[in-house]
Amino acid sequence: MRVHITNSLFAWDELQDNPSLATLRQLLAALPDAQLLADLRRFRGKGRNDYPVEILWGVLVLSVALRHVTIEACLAELARNAGLRRLIGISSLAQIPKAWNMSRFMDVLGQSPHRENLEAVFDVMVQRLGQVVPDLGAATAGDASALNARRPRDLQNRQQLEAQQQHAAEQGDEQDDQQSKIRYDIHGLPLPAGGRKEYKDDDGKVVKVVKWYGYKFHLLVDVKHEVPVAYQISSTKAGDNQVLPQLLEQAQANLPAKRIKTLAYDKACDDNGTHELLHKAKIKPLIENRSLWNGEHERRLPGHGADSPIVYDEAGTLYCYDRAPGSSDPPVRHRMAYNGHEPSRGTLKYRCPAVHEGWSCPSECVCNRGKNYGLTVRVKQEIDLRRFPPIPRATKKFERLYKGRTAVERVNARLKIFWGADDGNVTGATRFHALLGTVMVVHIGFATLLAQAPRWEGTLSHTRLNPIAKALQRKMAD
């Protein structure tokens, strides 16, 4: 794989629709899967070993990397492609596993501790990239999307599903009203369930409804490079704000300390718990505001009396009223000028908009009282962390940084459309977690190949590795 020098470090447009054998060999070599395979071998014990776990794992990785819709399609290609067979250690046609062998392998891979080892493969590869790419994870964005799963096709599977739900209920999985709707299987994994999402317009009217059967997929990605740094799978009944703490904990463990500076999310995570979590972690939230005031347009700022002209709206934007004698009725409301965040004080600083922007205000003599700098208001964030974040919503910086949230939507599209995470061809929670974990490993594996790919230095020169690619190779060798 070669990448032109003018492309970005992670040139996702350079991904091959049909990877060559050389690219696949590099991908397999980049996976730190030694612990995963060792535990799988120990789990198998001393029984029959017609299809070694290395071969089964290789088939699963190739089925994702080659973008096959089903495992059967990958097995069929292995039967006619000798070079591909040799790549994963298959020396004869008799060593090609059957479809049911792969189903059983995925069942095992989705169980503990193998599922945790599979997630660790992803985490180690993110840690490699985070150590060599200095700005990876500085600006992050999160989102949740729907993933389809296959419904049980026969009565036996339905009865097994009901038995698992009954077992989960007996184990006391019901904790609160929201969690009581979530059912788990005997391995502690959430069972697939029906999901529903409503899209509303600015007036609160429902304009679109999306329904699916399966899971919710939570992602946290780097905005600049569009590289996932953490992922979680949850029931469709779980809220985004409930999963975000685990998602953020995984991302912080995968990146150098204090690397994450901002986190963008939609209004699904606009709650007090999320803002308190990010405030303690010193991460600046870029979260869209939810409307909860039910028709109330503004409130007086705490600590200001009835004669004060300072108010704020539900989004936390400060305004001042022109109440000079002879002014209009009702009085004109002006948005105050934001003048920066003061971390040492834990306050947001605002100034008189007339003085800051250089225009005349009839109330200037009353509010500013002869001060050349103008009226200054400091808002303590502890009043309401939701409405007074370090980067206020009504600023150009917030709007610019919040646009980075589209990066997570593009990553979701690659995982669901390009890699087939949303094909819905898998039945059972363990197989689903195994397949999606493999998709994430392959995706971050190709990100590693893109980062270490040689780049052209000119029209007539040879390719060479950039400093990040060299550092990444040393990490992989370690």
mmCIF file of all heavy atoms in Angstrom, residues 293-302 308-321 323 330-334 387:
data_model
loop_
_atom_site.group_PDB
_atom_site.id
_atom_site.type_symbol
_atom_site.label_atom_id
_atom_site.label_comp_id
_atom_site.label_asym_id
_atom_site.label_seq_id
_atom_site.Cartn_x
_atom_site.Cartn_y
_atom_site.Cartn_z
ATOM 1 N N TRP A 293 -37.283 23.742 29.603
ATOM 2 C CA TRP A 293 -37.903 24.812 30.379
ATOM 3 C C TRP A 293 -39.399 24.964 30.108
ATOM 4 O O TRP A 293 -40.069 25.751 30.776
ATOM 5 C CB TRP A 293 -37.185 26.127 30.109
ATOM 6 C CG TRP A 293 -35.936 26.263 30.919
ATOM 7 C CD1 TRP A 293 -35.358 25.320 31.705
ATOM 8 C CD2 TRP A 293 -35.108 27.427 31.022
ATOM 9 N NE1 TRP A 293 -34.224 25.798 32.286
ATOM 10 C CE2 TRP A 293 -34.027 27.099 31.887
ATOM 11 C CE3 TRP A 293 -35.141 28.695 30.468
ATOM 12 C CZ2 TRP A 293 -33.030 28.003 32.208
ATOM 13 C CZ3 TRP A 293 -34.143 29.607 30.779
ATOM 14 C CH2 TRP A 293 -33.099 29.263 31.643
ATOM 15 N N ASN A 294 -39.921 24.280 29.139
ATOM 16 C CA ASN A 294 -41.369 24.269 28.867
ATOM 17 C C ASN A 294 -41.952 25.680 28.712
ATOM 18 O O ASN A 294 -42.831 26.115 29.441
ATOM 19 C CB ASN A 294 -42.125 23.537 29.990
ATOM 20 C CG ASN A 294 -41.739 22.076 30.090
ATOM 21 O OD1 ASN A 294 -41.461 21.441 29.078
ATOM 22 N ND2 ASN A 294 -41.707 21.539 31.297
ATOM 23 N N GLY A 295 -41.421 26.399 27.734
ATOM 24 C CA GLY A 295 -41.965 27.711 27.415
ATOM 25 C C GLY A 295 -41.313 28.866 28.130
ATOM 26 O O GLY A 295 -41.540 30.032 27.783
ATOM 27 N N GLU A 296 -40.500 28.609 29.149
ATOM 28 C CA GLU A 296 -39.789 29.686 29.846
ATOM 29 C C GLU A 296 -38.594 30.098 29.004
ATOM 30 O O GLU A 296 -37.750 29.268 28.638
ATOM 31 C CB GLU A 296 -39.331 29.187 31.222
ATOM 32 C CG GLU A 296 -38.755 30.283 32.102
ATOM 33 C CD GLU A 296 -38.351 29.748 33.461
ATOM 34 O OE1 GLU A 296 -38.527 28.526 33.695
ATOM 35 O OE2 GLU A 296 -37.854 30.534 34.283
ATOM 36 N N HIS A 297 -38.484 31.380 28.694
ATOM 37 C CA HIS A 297 -37.470 31.850 27.750
ATOM 38 C C HIS A 297 -36.183 32.304 28.427
ATOM 39 O O HIS A 297 -35.106 32.224 27.824
ATOM 40 C CB HIS A 297 -38.036 32.995 26.904
ATOM 41 C CG HIS A 297 -39.228 32.603 26.089
ATOM 42 N ND1 HIS A 297 -39.149 31.693 25.054
ATOM 43 C CD2 HIS A 297 -40.525 32.984 26.170
ATOM 44 C CE1 HIS A 297 -40.359 31.525 24.522
ATOM 45 N NE2 HIS A 297 -41.207 32.300 25.179
ATOM 46 N N GLU A 298 -36.265 32.814 29.634
ATOM 47 C CA GLU A 298 -35.061 33.340 30.279
ATOM 48 C C GLU A 298 -35.235 33.306 31.800
ATOM 49 O O GLU A 298 -36.359 33.214 32.322
ATOM 50 C CB GLU A 298 -34.789 34.770 29.824
ATOM 51 C CG GLU A 298 -35.885 35.736 30.171
ATOM 52 C CD GLU A 298 -35.646 37.119 29.606
ATOM 53 O OE1 GLU A 298 -35.037 37.237 28.526
ATOM 54 O OE2 GLU A 298 -36.097 38.087 30.244
ATOM 55 N N ARG A 299 -34.102 33.399 32.477
ATOM 56 C CA ARG A 299 -34.091 33.478 33.935
ATOM 57 C C ARG A 299 -33.064 34.507 34.367
ATOM 58 O O ARG A 299 -32.100 34.793 33.638
ATOM 59 C CB ARG A 299 -33.743 32.112 34.556
ATOM 60 C CG ARG A 299 -34.802 31.046 34.357
ATOM 61 C CD ARG A 299 -34.362 29.720 34.964
ATOM 62 N NE ARG A 299 -35.373 28.683 34.778
ATOM 63 C CZ ARG A 299 -35.217 27.411 35.143
ATOM 64 N NH1 ARG A 299 -34.083 27.023 35.715
ATOM 65 N NH2 ARG A 299 -36.188 26.532 34.932
ATOM 66 N N ARG A 300 -33.301 35.044 35.558
ATOM 67 C CA ARG A 300 -32.357 36.024 36.078
ATOM 68 C C ARG A 300 -31.130 35.303 36.629
ATOM 69 O O ARG A 300 -31.234 34.260 37.270
ATOM 70 C CB ARG A 300 -33.021 36.853 37.172
ATOM 71 C CG ARG A 300 -32.214 38.112 37.537
ATOM 72 C CD ARG A 300 -33.045 39.040 38.380
ATOM 73 N NE ARG A 300 -34.262 39.432 37.695
ATOM 74 C CZ ARG A 300 -34.323 40.376 36.740
ATOM 75 N NH1 ARG A 300 -33.217 41.011 36.384
ATOM 76 N NH2 ARG A 300 -35.477 40.681 36.182
ATOM 77 N N LEU A 301 -29.973 35.890 36.370
ATOM 78 C CA LEU A 301 -28.725 35.279 36.814
ATOM 79 C C LEU A 301 -28.661 35.290 38.332
ATOM 80 O O LEU A 301 -28.916 36.318 38.972
ATOM 81 C CB LEU A 301 -27.539 36.041 36.223
ATOM 82 C CG LEU A 301 -26.165 35.381 36.370
ATOM 83 C CD1 LEU A 301 -26.098 34.100 35.549
ATOM 84 C CD2 LEU A 301 -25.072 36.345 35.919
ATOM 85 N N PRO A 302 -28.341 34.137 38.960
ATOM 86 C CA PRO A 302 -28.241 34.099 40.428
ATOM 87 C C PRO A 302 -27.251 35.123 40.947
ATOM 88 O O PRO A 302 -26.179 35.345 40.377
ATOM 89 C CB PRO A 302 -27.770 32.669 40.705
ATOM 90 C CG PRO A 302 -28.247 31.886 39.526
ATOM 91 C CD PRO A 302 -28.152 32.819 38.357
ATOM 92 N N SER A 308 -31.320 44.312 38.192
ATOM 93 C CA SER A 308 -30.206 43.965 37.306
ATOM 94 C C SER A 308 -30.719 43.685 35.897
ATOM 95 O O SER A 308 -31.740 43.012 35.722
ATOM 96 C CB SER A 308 -29.447 42.742 37.832
ATOM 97 O OG SER A 308 -28.470 42.331 36.908
ATOM 98 N N PRO A 309 -29.998 44.157 34.863
ATOM 99 C CA PRO A 309 -30.439 43.901 33.486
ATOM 100 C C PRO A 309 -29.933 42.576 32.930
ATOM 101 O O PRO A 309 -30.169 42.260 31.765
ATOM 102 C CB PRO A 309 -29.825 45.070 32.713
ATOM 103 C CG PRO A 309 -28.547 45.361 33.446
ATOM 104 C CD PRO A 309 -28.837 45.083 34.904
ATOM 105 N N ILE A 310 -29.245 41.766 33.729
ATOM 106 C CA ILE A 310 -28.588 40.550 33.239
ATOM 107 C C ILE A 310 -29.520 39.356 33.390
ATOM 108 O O ILE A 310 -30.027 39.077 34.480
ATOM 109 C CB ILE A 310 -27.270 40.281 33.989
ATOM 110 C CG1 ILE A 310 -26.393 41.539 33.979
ATOM 111 C CG2 ILE A 310 -26.539 39.102 33.365
ATOM 112 C CD1 ILE A 310 -26.017 42.020 32.592
ATOM 113 N N VAL A 311 -29.726 38.608 32.289
ATOM 114 C CA VAL A 311 -30.510 37.371 32.280
ATOM 115 C C VAL A 311 -29.762 36.349 31.429
ATOM 116 O O VAL A 311 -28.787 36.674 30.742
ATOM 117 C CB VAL A 311 -31.935 37.596 31.716
ATOM 118 C CG1 VAL A 311 -32.728 38.543 32.588
ATOM 119 C CG2 VAL A 311 -31.865 38.113 30.277
ATOM 120 N N TYR A 312 -30.221 35.102 31.481
ATOM 121 C CA TYR A 312 -29.646 34.062 30.616
ATOM 122 C C TYR A 312 -30.762 33.152 30.126
ATOM 123 O O TYR A 312 -31.813 33.010 30.767
ATOM 124 C CB TYR A 312 -28.574 33.249 31.342
ATOM 125 C CG TYR A 312 -29.075 32.365 32.453
ATOM 126 C CD1 TYR A 312 -29.302 31.005 32.251
ATOM 127 C CD2 TYR A 312 -29.329 32.875 33.725
ATOM 128 C CE1 TYR A 312 -29.756 30.183 33.265
ATOM 129 C CE2 TYR A 312 -29.780 32.066 34.753
ATOM 130 C CZ TYR A 312 -29.990 30.717 34.520
ATOM 131 O OH TYR A 312 -30.442 29.909 35.525
ATOM 132 N N ASP A 313 -30.540 32.546 28.945
ATOM 133 C CA ASP A 313 -31.538 31.650 28.375
ATOM 134 C C ASP A 313 -31.184 30.206 28.703
ATOM 135 O O ASP A 313 -30.224 29.932 29.434
ATOM 136 C CB ASP A 313 -31.686 31.869 26.867
ATOM 137 C CG ASP A 313 -30.412 31.560 26.092
ATOM 138 O OD1 ASP A 313 -29.454 31.031 26.701
ATOM 139 O OD2 ASP A 313 -30.368 31.842 24.884
ATOM 140 N N GLU A 314 -31.949 29.270 28.144
ATOM 141 C CA GLU A 314 -31.770 27.861 28.485
ATOM 142 C C GLU A 314 -30.438 27.304 28.004
ATOM 143 O O GLU A 314 -29.902 26.360 28.580
ATOM 144 C CB GLU A 314 -32.918 27.031 27.906
ATOM 145 C CG GLU A 314 -32.949 25.610 28.425
ATOM 146 C CD GLU A 314 -34.223 24.881 28.041
ATOM 147 O OE1 GLU A 314 -34.992 25.422 27.238
ATOM 148 O OE2 GLU A 314 -34.435 23.770 28.557
ATOM 149 N N ALA A 315 -29.884 27.884 26.940
ATOM 150 C CA ALA A 315 -28.589 27.432 26.428
ATOM 151 C C ALA A 315 -27.420 28.024 27.195
ATOM 152 O O ALA A 315 -26.269 27.687 26.911
ATOM 153 C CB ALA A 315 -28.461 27.772 24.946
ATOM 154 N N GLY A 316 -27.698 28.924 28.173
ATOM 155 C CA GLY A 316 -26.631 29.519 28.967
ATOM 156 C C GLY A 316 -26.077 30.798 28.386
ATOM 157 O O GLY A 316 -25.029 31.277 28.844
ATOM 158 N N THR A 317 -26.727 31.392 27.407
ATOM 159 C CA THR A 317 -26.270 32.638 26.790
ATOM 160 C C THR A 317 -26.727 33.822 27.629
ATOM 161 O O THR A 317 -27.906 33.929 27.982
ATOM 162 C CB THR A 317 -26.818 32.769 25.366
ATOM 163 O OG1 THR A 317 -26.478 31.591 24.619
ATOM 164 C CG2 THR A 317 -26.229 33.978 24.674
ATOM 165 N N LEU A 318 -25.802 34.713 27.945
ATOM 166 C CA LEU A 318 -26.121 35.885 28.755
ATOM 167 C C LEU A 318 -26.604 37.044 27.881
ATOM 168 O O LEU A 318 -26.070 37.267 26.774
ATOM 169 C CB LEU A 318 -24.894 36.337 29.552
ATOM 170 C CG LEU A 318 -24.914 35.982 31.052
ATOM 171 C CD1 LEU A 318 -24.885 34.463 31.211
ATOM 172 C CD2 LEU A 318 -23.764 36.644 31.773
ATOM 173 N N TYR A 319 -27.582 37.780 28.404
ATOM 174 C CA TYR A 319 -28.134 38.954 27.726
ATOM 175 C C TYR A 319 -28.248 40.091 28.726
ATOM 176 O O TYR A 319 -28.331 39.877 29.942
ATOM 177 C CB TYR A 319 -29.519 38.664 27.148
ATOM 178 C CG TYR A 319 -29.533 37.604 26.064
ATOM 179 C CD1 TYR A 319 -29.722 36.263 26.398
ATOM 180 C CD2 TYR A 319 -29.378 37.934 24.722
ATOM 181 C CE1 TYR A 319 -29.749 35.287 25.415
ATOM 182 C CE2 TYR A 319 -29.401 36.964 23.736
ATOM 183 C CZ TYR A 319 -29.587 35.645 24.091
ATOM 184 O OH TYR A 319 -29.614 34.679 23.112
ATOM 185 N N CYS A 320 -28.286 41.314 28.210
ATOM 186 C CA CYS A 320 -28.551 42.488 29.033
ATOM 187 C C CYS A 320 -29.647 43.316 28.370
ATOM 188 O O CYS A 320 -29.740 43.367 27.136
ATOM 189 C CB CYS A 320 -27.298 43.328 29.239
ATOM 190 S SG CYS A 320 -26.612 44.024 27.719
ATOM 191 N N TYR A 321 -30.477 43.949 29.182
ATOM 192 C CA TYR A 321 -31.597 44.751 28.693
ATOM 193 C C TYR A 321 -31.239 46.233 28.726
ATOM 194 O O TYR A 321 -30.595 46.722 29.673
ATOM 195 C CB TYR A 321 -32.839 44.503 29.546
ATOM 196 C CG TYR A 321 -33.615 43.267 29.148
ATOM 197 C CD1 TYR A 321 -33.506 42.097 29.892
ATOM 198 C CD2 TYR A 321 -34.448 43.278 28.037
ATOM 199 C CE1 TYR A 321 -34.214 40.961 29.537
ATOM 200 C CE2 TYR A 321 -35.162 42.134 27.677
ATOM 201 C CZ TYR A 321 -35.044 40.993 28.425
ATOM 202 O OH TYR A 321 -35.748 39.870 28.057
ATOM 203 N N ARG A 323 -32.515 49.455 29.561
ATOM 204 C CA ARG A 323 -33.595 49.981 30.374
ATOM 205 C C ARG A 323 -33.425 51.471 30.653
ATOM 206 O O ARG A 323 -33.928 52.001 31.653
ATOM 207 C CB ARG A 323 -33.675 49.223 31.701
ATOM 208 C CG ARG A 323 -34.052 47.745 31.532
ATOM 209 C CD ARG A 323 -34.109 47.045 32.872
ATOM 210 N NE ARG A 323 -34.554 45.664 32.727
ATOM 211 C CZ ARG A 323 -34.666 44.802 33.748
ATOM 212 N NH1 ARG A 323 -34.380 45.211 34.977
ATOM 213 N NH2 ARG A 323 -35.065 43.573 33.536
ATOM 214 N N PRO A 330 -41.486 46.721 24.752
ATOM 215 C CA PRO A 330 -40.545 46.182 25.749
ATOM 216 C C PRO A 330 -39.106 46.570 25.449
ATOM 217 O O PRO A 330 -38.776 46.898 24.306
ATOM 218 C CB PRO A 330 -40.751 44.672 25.619
ATOM 219 C CG PRO A 330 -41.176 44.477 24.209
ATOM 220 C CD PRO A 330 -42.029 45.671 23.868
ATOM 221 N N PRO A 331 -38.236 46.519 26.448
ATOM 222 C CA PRO A 331 -36.846 46.939 26.251
ATOM 223 C C PRO A 331 -36.094 45.992 25.317
ATOM 224 O O PRO A 331 -36.415 44.811 25.189
ATOM 225 C CB PRO A 331 -36.260 46.899 27.667
ATOM 226 C CG PRO A 331 -37.135 45.953 28.421
ATOM 227 C CD PRO A 331 -38.502 46.117 27.846
ATOM 228 N N VAL A 332 -35.094 46.553 24.661
ATOM 229 C CA VAL A 332 -34.279 45.783 23.715
ATOM 230 C C VAL A 332 -33.303 44.898 24.496
ATOM 231 O O VAL A 332 -32.698 45.342 25.488
ATOM 232 C CB VAL A 332 -33.511 46.721 22.773
ATOM 233 C CG1 VAL A 332 -32.624 45.911 21.828
ATOM 234 C CG2 VAL A 332 -34.477 47.583 21.990
ATOM 235 N N ARG A 333 -33.160 43.656 24.039
ATOM 236 C CA ARG A 333 -32.248 42.714 24.690
ATOM 237 C C ARG A 333 -31.022 42.510 23.813
ATOM 238 O O ARG A 333 -31.145 42.213 22.619
ATOM 239 C CB ARG A 333 -32.941 41.370 24.935
ATOM 240 C CG ARG A 333 -32.155 40.424 25.818
ATOM 241 C CD ARG A 333 -32.919 39.140 26.077
ATOM 242 N NE ARG A 333 -32.899 38.248 24.921
ATOM 243 C CZ ARG A 333 -33.306 36.970 24.950
ATOM 244 N NH1 ARG A 333 -33.769 36.457 26.081
ATOM 245 N NH2 ARG A 333 -33.271 36.226 23.861
ATOM 246 N N HIS A 334 -29.822 42.661 24.379
ATOM 247 C CA HIS A 334 -28.559 42.495 23.651
ATOM 248 C C HIS A 334 -27.793 41.299 24.230
ATOM 249 O O HIS A 334 -27.780 41.098 25.454
ATOM 250 C CB HIS A 334 -27.690 43.746 23.762
ATOM 251 C CG HIS A 334 -28.339 44.989 23.247
ATOM 252 N ND1 HIS A 334 -28.519 45.242 21.907
ATOM 253 C CD2 HIS A 334 -28.871 46.057 23.911
ATOM 254 C CE1 HIS A 334 -29.116 46.414 21.747
ATOM 255 N NE2 HIS A 334 -29.355 46.929 22.951
ATOM 256 N N ARG A 387 -25.385 24.480 31.555
ATOM 257 C CA ARG A 387 -25.633 25.713 30.814
ATOM 258 C C ARG A 387 -24.434 26.647 30.760
ATOM 259 O O ARG A 387 -24.422 27.581 29.958
ATOM 260 C CB ARG A 387 -26.839 26.446 31.418
ATOM 261 C CG ARG A 387 -28.118 25.678 31.166
ATOM 262 C CD ARG A 387 -29.343 26.370 31.698
ATOM 263 N NE ARG A 387 -30.523 25.619 31.284
ATOM 264 C CZ ARG A 387 -30.997 24.562 31.928
ATOM 265 N NH1 ARG A 387 -30.378 24.153 33.017
ATOM 266 N NH2 ARG A 387 -32.052 23.921 31.496
#
